[in-house]
Amino acid sequence: DAKTTQPNSMESNEEEPVHLPCNHSTISGTDYIHWYRQLPSQGPEYVIHGLTSNVNNRMASLAIAEDRKSSTLILHRATLRDAAVYYCILLPGANNLFFGTGTRLTVIP
Amino acid sequence: DAGITQSPRHKVTETGTPVTLRCHQTENHRYMYWYRQDPGHGLRLIHYSYGVKDTDKGEVSDGYSVSRSKTEDFLLTLESATSSQTSVYFCAISGRDLTTGELFFGEGSRLTVL
């Protein structure tokens, strides 16, 4: 399975943008890049996904490097409710999501 | 919110006893998954189903079996629970292949095996 590398933790001030990086140097041409987040005591929830082009939705933006070996999840204005563990996941085409340990985001009031 | 219900939400049992966790969905989604989450390991796939009576193993399937006799229910069974199976178990569903779709997770079932 293609793997991802994320920092263990990051901090951000409230109402400032947050850039969460993810490295996936072994990504294949058909792998989609997905992001999920897990709030305390809850199951993970979908944030965004993309293949090659940058993507935007109501929750976040996803910036994908031109060589696709890295990507960045962008939260435009962090709120306290964004404090969570963020997972960057690659889909190799099979019905299996490999979740690593993710990045724990702390939002400082 | 996707209609996913896990039961029981909390269970304490003893080593060697059988345990069944139930995942019930009201979305009529085709795909259903069981994950376990342990500190330092993130989420790991146990088993998944791509239709009624169609199931397959994930990366940590040893000691677990599953059944799906109808679209809405996916059961995870520990035939003889061990302390290493103490974990939080999450059920997830998806209406499409995961390359383009998304997973919806339940709230989790915390299992403690003494």
Side-chain angles (χ1 to χ4, degrees), chain B residues 4-71:
Chain B
I4 309 170
T5 305
Q6 292 185 228
S7 59
R9 295 289 314 282
H10 301 273
K11 185 174 181 65
V12 179
T13 190
E14 293 186 350
T15 298
T17 59
V19 175
T20 296
L21 305 180
R22 180 189 184 221
C23 178
H24 178 77
Q25 61 145 329
T26 59
E27 305 296 323
N28 200 35
H29 280 350
R30 176 183 178 186
Y31 300 96
M32 298 187 75
Y33 307 79
W34 276 109
Y35 282 88
R36 61 178 288 176
Q37 185 169 37
D38 306 290
H41 289 279
L43 283 104
R44 294 179 290 176
L45 182 67
I46 305 171
H47 281 280
Y48 65 97
S49 170
Y50 43 92
V52 173
K53 297 187 178 178
D54 290 324
T55 64
D56 208 344
K57 297 178 180 180
E59 63 175 307
V60 291
S61 60
D62 287 347
Y64 302 95
S65 63
V66 290
S67 65
R68 191 169 178 199
S69 59
K70 45 187 178 178
T71 300

Side-chain angles (χ1 to χ4, degrees), chain A residues 32 34 36 38 41-46 49 87 91 93 95-101, chain B residues 31 33 35 37 40-43 45 48 59 90 97-103 105-106:
Chain A
Y32 283 74
H34 284 239
Y36 283 74
Q38 187 172 19
S41 301
Q42 295 187 24
E45 63 176 350
Y46 169 82
H49 78 279
Y87 298 95
L91 294 180
N95 285 323
N96 187 354
L97 264 70
F98 176 81
F99 286 77
T101 52
Chain B
Y31 300 96
Y33 307 79
Y35 282 88
Q37 185 169 37
H41 289 279
L43 283 104
L45 182 67
Y48 65 97
E59 63 175 307
F90 287 99
D97 184 278
L98 287 177
T99 53
T100 57
E102 60 186 269
L103 279 173
F105 283 83

